[in-house]
Amino acid sequence: MKTSTILSVPDAAEAWDRVSGSVDAQGETMMLNMGPSHPATHGVLRLHLEVDGEVIVACDPVIGHLHRGMEKIAENCHYNQFVAYTDRFDYLAPMSNNIAYACAVEKLLGWELPERGQAIRVLCSELSRISSYMLGVGVYAMDVGAMTVFLLCYEEKEKVHNFYEEICGARFTSSYTRIGGMTRDIPKGFEKKVLAFCDSCEKTIDEMESLLLKNKIWMDRLIGVGKLTREQVLANGLTGPNMRASGVKRDLRKTNPYLGYERYEFDVPVMEGGDCYDRFIIRAFEMRQSVRILRQVCGNMPGGPICVQNERGILPPKEAAMMGMEELIRQFMVTTMSVNAPVGQVYFAAENPKGELGFFIESQGGGTPNRLKMRSPSFSTLSVLPELLPGHLISDIPAILGSFDFVQGECDR
């Protein structure tokens, strides 16, 4: 018998016995590798599957192919130097990562941004959420066979990247935030462009729903597939839309508000079915709520500074650094030594598109953390696969994985 290249052979003799028929044929199973180079695994994820025909008997997700030692790198970087690395966590929502990390360090320092700085961060966070959901839903539709939806969603995602470019000059790896603020203010007239985007975004969501919500093929592939109960979600630590699709009403923007989210009116959508179909619907609902928040931010954008004022860890204005000796010394100290953080421990979590992104920082003083630990939502999401996949067909895997909308950059770190 010619063995397939996807046959895993951890024990060559045992594997040959299986395929040659020398093992009792009753209950015979085969070991298959799905990934790490497979389009449906959404990155370098390897699923080590045991299958009985087309039915999955067991699943062992193998992660770490994208591990880069990010947390240890953070312990050897100044606080501001690590901002660029946060772009590479959830690389589909880089500004959300920038902002969550900056908020964690600012909590350690006891700094609070001015109202305009907070509003700009909310604006960037919700744009990132829409961009991430648009790509996630579009790719998910393509995984299940709906090409048109991907093209519609990708166009909206590109509009968000155009906004990124206007704000900071980069379309993808933004590195927009700094500890205590942002690199620069938003351009003049930016709010009007965002409001126009909100209108086009809502039309795209309407069109996406008209193409998919009542589509029989889409419904047959998703309804009842990959069901997670409330208890399973809580036991495995799932957060974000994957948790809310199973009936758990928890959104950090409501339960633990930050950046002034308590000033904005928005709802937290919740579904009860917990299957692939509900995880798709919840993201469509949440995009509408992000549009709602964006309209409020742009309609009530406060004036004033965007960065923390009168703190020694903040860079002085460039003109002042060029003309004054004290400002020049401060510029040199901040650039070479970063902020002088107090001794202590903090944990800060933000509601990112993938779920709860948290940073634990232990400081022994100075400009670098003694320990940094990241709580990545995608890692917890993938932990449920050994419990969820058995009993499903191999053809269900793309639908299940796509519904979770995970990203390996933050899972492996």
Side-chain angles (χ1 to χ4, degrees), residues 105-334:
V105 181
E106 288 157 8
K107 182 178 180 180
L108 174 67
L109 295 167
W111 292 358
E112 184 174 355
L113 260 65
E115 284 193 7
R116 182 173 178 84
Q118 292 185 10
I120 291 174
R121 284 191 177 179
V122 171
L123 178 72
C124 293
S125 295
E126 296 310 315
L127 284 173
S128 288
R129 191 181 313 278
I130 291 175
S131 172
S132 179
Y133 282 177
M134 280 292 180
L135 185 65
V137 171
V139 171
Y140 186 28
M142 191 164 59
D143 284 347
V144 184
M147 184 69 184
T148 305
V149 175
F150 171 75
L151 298 174
L152 288 170
C153 293
Y154 202 86
E155 184 177 355
E156 295 302 315
K157 183 193 80 72
E158 282 298 297
K159 292 176 184 177
V160 175
H161 282 197
N162 291 339
F163 289 144
Y164 285 0
E165 190 172 12
E166 279 194 63
I167 292 173
C168 65
R171 294 177 60 81
F172 199 58
T173 48
S174 55
S175 300
Y176 179 49
T177 63
R178 294 293 182 269
I179 307 307
M182 278 72 67
T183 57
R184 58 182 64 84
D185 206 338
I186 56 176
K188 187 177 181 180
F190 188 74
E191 296 94 322
K192 291 182 179 179
K193 295 180 182 180
V194 174
L195 289 172
F197 165 76
C198 290
D199 295 336
S200 70
C201 182
E202 281 192 323
K203 291 178 182 177
T204 300
I205 298 171
D206 291 340
E207 194 164 358
M208 176 191 70
E209 290 179 341
S210 68
L211 288 169
L212 293 180
L213 275 182
K214 300 300 181 181
N215 185 299
K216 188 175 189 312
I217 298 174
W218 183 257
M219 295 170 70
D220 288 346
R221 289 293 303 274
L222 270 58
I223 293 178
V225 175
K227 292 190 69 171
L228 283 173
T229 65
R230 177 189 177 93
E231 291 72 23
Q232 286 176 306
V233 163
L234 295 174
N236 287 278
L238 272 70
T239 54
N242 295 324
M243 170 187 66
R244 292 187 283 273
S246 294
V248 182
K249 190 173 183 177
R250 181 174 183 267
D251 187 314
L252 294 176
R253 296 171 296 174
K254 284 283 191 182
T255 59
N256 302 84
Y258 55 96
L259 296 176
Y261 266 109
E262 65 276 8
R263 296 194 291 266
Y264 304 107
E265 293 183 4
F266 65 98
D267 299 321
V268 180
V270 177
M271 303 296 290
E272 297 295 335
D275 58 8
C276 293
Y277 191 72
D278 281 353
R279 287 191 284 273
F280 157 71
I281 292 177
I282 205 78
R283 287 178 172 86
F285 286 169
E286 290 195 11
M287 280 192 280
R288 295 187 186 278
Q289 296 305 314
S290 291
V291 168
R292 187 177 170 189
I293 294 172
L294 286 174
R295 287 197 171 114
Q296 294 175 63
V297 174
C298 292
N300 300 281
M301 179 64 73
I306 63 169
C307 296
V308 173
Q309 300 294 296
N310 303 319
E311 292 288 353
R312 295 179 64 87
I314 300 295
L315 288 171
K318 187 174 181 179
E319 297 79 9
M322 296 292 287
M323 300 298 293
M325 179 56 70
E326 196 168 310
E327 288 80 4
L328 180 61
I329 294 172
R330 177 178 158 194
Q331 167 97 11
F332 176 79
M333 296 293 287
V334 172

Side-chain angles (χ1 to χ4, degrees), residues 60-79:
D60 180 21
V62 182
I63 64 172
H65 295 283
L66 202 56
H67 177 62
R68 295 149 289 171
M70 289 292 202
E71 293 161 335
K72 192 54 65 177
I73 288 173
E75 296 163 18
N76 293 276
C77 287
H78 292 159
Y79 286 106

